[in-house]
Amino acid sequence: MASAPAAATEKKQGNATEKVVESSVDEKTKESSVDIEEGDEALKLIGAERATQFSEEYNLKLRRKLDLLIPPLCAAVYFTQFLDKTSLNYASIMGLPITGQHYNLVSLAFYVGFLVWEFPTVYISQKLRVAKYLGVNIVLWGIVLMLHAVGTSFGAFFALRVLLGMLESCVAPILILIISMFYKKNEQAQRISWFYLMNGLTQIFGGFVAYVSTSAILALLGTVLSSLPQGVSFDTGEKLPPFKIIYLLLGGLAIIVGICVLIWLPDSPVNARFLTKEERIAVLERVRDDQGGTENKTLKRSQIIEAVTDVRTWLIVLSTLLTSIPNGGLSNFSNLIIKSFGYTSKQALILSTPTGVIHAGMTLFCGWYSGRTPFQWQNERMIPIIFALLPTITGAAMLVGLNDSGQKGPLLFAIYLIGSFGSALSTIYAWNASNTAGHTKKSTINAMTLVSFAVGNIAGTEIFQPKDAPDYIPGKITIMILLCVQIGICVVMRWVNIRLNAKKVAMINEEKARRGWSDEDIQRERERHAFADLTDKE
């Protein structure tokens, strides 16, 4: 526990007012305070100590204003990303000329780019305006996606998928960071679930886009591309192969979303143009007590070291890996599995859509549960992950047990149950957002999480081997084993968190007794250090 921080003074530099925190002495302990000159960007707008109080009614009105802009834009980004990432899954049954082991390699190429570029993109975004950096990446990946309609050879597709992975690797870390800057801890999980549920909705949307006629799509999107053939998936026209049309449509959608992000998504509360100055101050005061900080442009070596030496970081990395291996396989092979039940390619597109409903529903449930208001359950993270994994384990077991049974109904039910596991990753994102302080540490843990995600998805593309088609029994058994292990990891993680929380409470009580502080003194300390860019351990 740090001693009471310094008082803030102001000095003029041109038209700007710079807040300088001077070294002070705690009146009770006579010890020097922590210097916060290297604090967050928020200190440019508010002081180290709380100067303004806002009513609960005002804060609720402000939160509604935030909810009308930030989560919808984050959702649009995530919807576009997941749809683009899984476009290969739809193209695989729409005439894509790449099959067999080449298809597996093209599937993993996305995650190769993702893996290689994750750490650089996270640290580059910390130095720049994060929302603008995100918007540029979205526009570029839309262009790359449209180029998939030009290159049809294995080499061209592999290179384009690598580029796509590089450009999309910044999405989750930036969205998590933006949510953590604008929302309190008990609000973050639900807001993250609002954009993460787009993974489920894209499975619904993508299946119908690949199925319905081009004329219906054009009516829906309000376009006038009359030169396209009459059917997207199964049209016999000779102008363009169906899979190329999908890539052109999805690429165009990504470019539109990227432009919207560049115009409207705020980088941080400090420079959120859609808020008044009073509202920007209120946003920062809302999150002050959470000690999570906001934006800081300085990369701090000490925070990187702390991130990689924290046992919880590696438990999160391992949990992400165990979730991502099944994701890598199912996101590219689920339609082929449904087709193996005895359905046509056209039927498989429609029959895959309920999986998205299960995914979206479980994501919303986990987000709601994580932010429940009773104190003893507040901000729970590991239990919702277990809730998400159990139906998937059951579904995978059913697929193995009912193999060759010919019972299409139970087999479809099993594949739908499998869709629940994806929401576990949204809860992991929420854990990173609400349990990590220090901008560089948070960026590092987010990057490590996403690197683990990429490694898992690369491995996942290989658990469904062509030699195991069409049943893919080894892949289904692998999913069961991995997720059972992950449940054990969640139990360990919860135990570690409970121990650390108890230890922290004991340290605070010891500090109160040593310094003669009251609860009000402790609260004042928390407020003073909220934007000092200190980690959760500092």
Side-chain angles (χ1 to χ4, degrees):
M1 173 67 64
S3 59
T9 62
E10 295 184 350
K11 64 180 181 180
K12 289 285 186 178
Q13 290 187 349
N15 294 324
T17 300
E18 180 185 1
K19 290 196 176 290
V20 180
V21 180
E22 300 172 341
S23 179
S24 70
V25 179
D26 183 88
E27 294 180 355
K28 296 181 179 178
T29 63
K30 307 299 182 183
E31 294 180 12
S32 297
S33 73
V34 174
D35 188 352
I36 58 172
E37 288 184 347
E38 295 298 321
D40 288 350
E41 296 290 304
L43 294 177
K44 295 177 180 178
L45 190 61
I46 61 175
E49 296 190 42
R50 191 188 300 273
T52 309
Q53 295 284 348
F54 295 91
S55 68
E56 187 64 25
E57 181 183 1
Y58 184 93
N59 282 327
L60 287 174
K61 182 179 179 181
L62 177 59
R63 190 179 70 180
R64 286 193 292 270
K65 185 173 182 178
L66 297 176
D67 285 344
L68 289 175
L69 180 69
I70 296 174
L73 278 174
C74 291
V77 172
Y78 222 72
F79 181 88
T80 305
Q81 184 207 26
F82 197 80
L83 196 62
D84 296 349
K85 184 172 64 178
T86 57
S87 57
L88 190 67
N89 191 19
Y90 300 112
S92 67
I93 57 174
M94 294 167 58
L96 183 70
I98 299 171
T99 58
Q101 187 59 27
H102 277 177
Y103 178 81
N104 284 43
L105 292 173
V106 167
S107 298
L108 70 82
F110 176 91
Y111 297 104
V112 170
F114 201 104
L115 174 63
V116 168
W117 194 239
E118 185 60 46
F119 274 101
T121 199
V122 165
Y123 291 134
I124 290 171
S125 68
Q126 183 172 343
K127 291 288 187 180
L128 303 175
R129 297 183 64 175
V130 290
K132 302 301 178 286
Y133 181 74
L134 174 63
V136 170
N137 275 270
I138 297 171
V139 171
L140 291 176
W141 95 49
I143 295 171
V144 169
L145 197 67
M146 296 180 81
L147 289 175
H148 282 63
V150 178
T152 57
S153 67
F154 164 72
F157 252 77
F158 189 92
L160 288 170
R161 292 280 293 179
V162 169
L163 286 174
L164 196 64
M166 292 175 65
L167 292 168
E168 296 191 22
S169 62
C170 67
V171 171
I174 289 178
L175 297 186
I176 294 169
L177 183 62
I178 289 174
I179 292 294
S180 68
M181 286 193 288
F182 282 89
Y183 291 96
K184 298 166 67 174
K185 282 186 179 180
N186 64 339
E187 299 167 347
Q188 290 168 7
Q190 193 166 34
R191 270 69 189 178
I192 289 174
S193 74
W194 290 353
F195 74 71
Y196 195 84
L197 71 86
M198 293 298 109
N199 282 6
L201 296 185
T202 53
Q203 294 179 50
I204 302 170
F205 179 80
F208 281 107
V209 164
Y211 181 87
V212 301
S213 66
T214 298
S215 58
I217 295 173
L218 298 181
L220 178 65
L221 298 178
T223 63
V224 290
L225 304 178
S226 59
S227 61
L228 293 177
Q230 291 300 306
V232 173
S233 295
F234 300 94
D235 180 76
T236 57
E238 299 179 355
K239 292 185 179 180
L240 278 177
F243 77 91
K244 291 189 176 185
I245 301 173
I246 285 295
Y247 280 123
L248 292 172
L249 289 173
L250 297 184
L253 178 62
I255 292 172
I256 293 172
V257 171
I259 293 171
C260 292
V261 167
L262 286 168
I263 296 173
W264 288 301
L265 188 64
D267 301 286
S268 77
V270 176
N271 52 30
R273 292 180 299 174
F274 75 106
L275 299 175
T276 65
K277 183 177 180 180
E278 180 184 71
E279 288 171 336
R280 294 199 296 272
I281 292 172
V283 168
L284 293 170
E285 294 295 356
R286 285 181 76 244
V287 301
R288 184 190 286 271
D289 290 340
D290 290 338
Q291 304 286 290
T294 54
E295 185 179 24
N296 190 288
K297 301 294 186 184
T298 304
L299 287 173
K300 299 182 179 178
R301 182 172 178 269
S302 62
Q303 293 193 13
I304 296 175
I305 293 173
E306 183 177 317
V308 299
T309 55
D310 190 334
V311 64
R312 294 173 300 169
T313 300
W314 294 103
L315 289 173
I316 285 293
V317 165
L318 184 55
S319 186
T320 304
L321 178 68
L322 294 172
T323 302
S324 301
I325 293 174
N327 183 71
L330 292 170
S331 63
N332 290 294
F333 288 89
S334 59
N335 282 341
L336 295 176
I337 292 173
I338 293 175
K339 188 177 177 181
S340 73
F341 299 159
Y343 296 104
T344 66
S345 295
K346 191 172 184 179
Q347 291 170 332
L349 286 170
I350 296 300
L351 292 173
S352 68
T353 56
T355 305
V357 176
I358 299 296
H359 181 113
M362 182 60 75
T363 299
L364 288 174
F365 171 76
C366 290
W368 167 81
Y369 188 92
S370 294
R372 289 177 66 182
T373 52
F375 178 77
Q376 64 269 31
W377 296 107
Q378 194 171 28
N379 300 324
E380 177 64 68
R381 297 290 185 263
M382 295 299 113
I383 297 299
I385 292 177
I386 295 174
F387 288 161
L389 300 180
L390 289 174
T392 300
I393 295 170
T394 303
M398 290 177 63
L399 288 177
V400 174
L402 295 174
N403 189 56
D404 294 329
S405 68
Q407 300 181 47
K408 292 184 177 181
L411 287 169
L412 280 175
F413 179 72
I415 202 76
Y416 298 154
L417 283 179
I418 284 179
S420 70
F421 83 100
S423 59
L425 192 57
S426 72
T427 309
I428 291 173
Y429 288 167
W431 192 96
N432 287 352
S434 60
N435 289 275
T436 309
H439 194 105
T440 301
K441 182 178 181 181
K442 187 175 292 186
S443 295
T444 301
I445 292 177
N446 283 337
M448 293 175 69
T449 301
L450 271 297
V451 164
S452 177
F453 170 79
V455 171
N457 277 276
I458 290 172
T461 61
E462 296 302 309
I463 66 174
F464 292 97
Q465 289 291 317
K467 63 183 178 62
D468 299 323
D471 298 325
Y472 299 109
I473 295 299
K476 296 169 185 176
I477 293 174
T478 300
I479 289 172
M480 283 192 296
I481 295 172
L482 292 173
L483 298 187
C484 285
V485 173
Q486 188 183 355
I487 288 178
I489 298 297
C490 290
V491 172
V492 172
M493 183 67 160
R494 192 170 191 272
W495 175 76
V496 170
N497 286 336
I498 291 172
R499 280 196 66 205
L500 290 175
N501 287 339
K503 185 178 179 181
K504 186 174 183 179
V505 170
M507 289 177 63
I508 291 174
N509 290 333
E510 180 182 341
E511 199 75 8
K512 286 170 65 178
R514 185 174 73 86
R515 297 174 181 269
W517 279 355
S518 65
D519 290 338
E520 289 74 18
D521 294 324
I522 294 293
Q523 179 61 24
R524 186 176 65 250
E525 285 296 296
R526 291 174 58 86
E527 291 178 359
R528 286 174 171 173
H529 291 77
F531 302 113
D533 195 36
L534 300 176
T535 70
D536 39 285
K537 290 189 175 182
E538 293 172 334

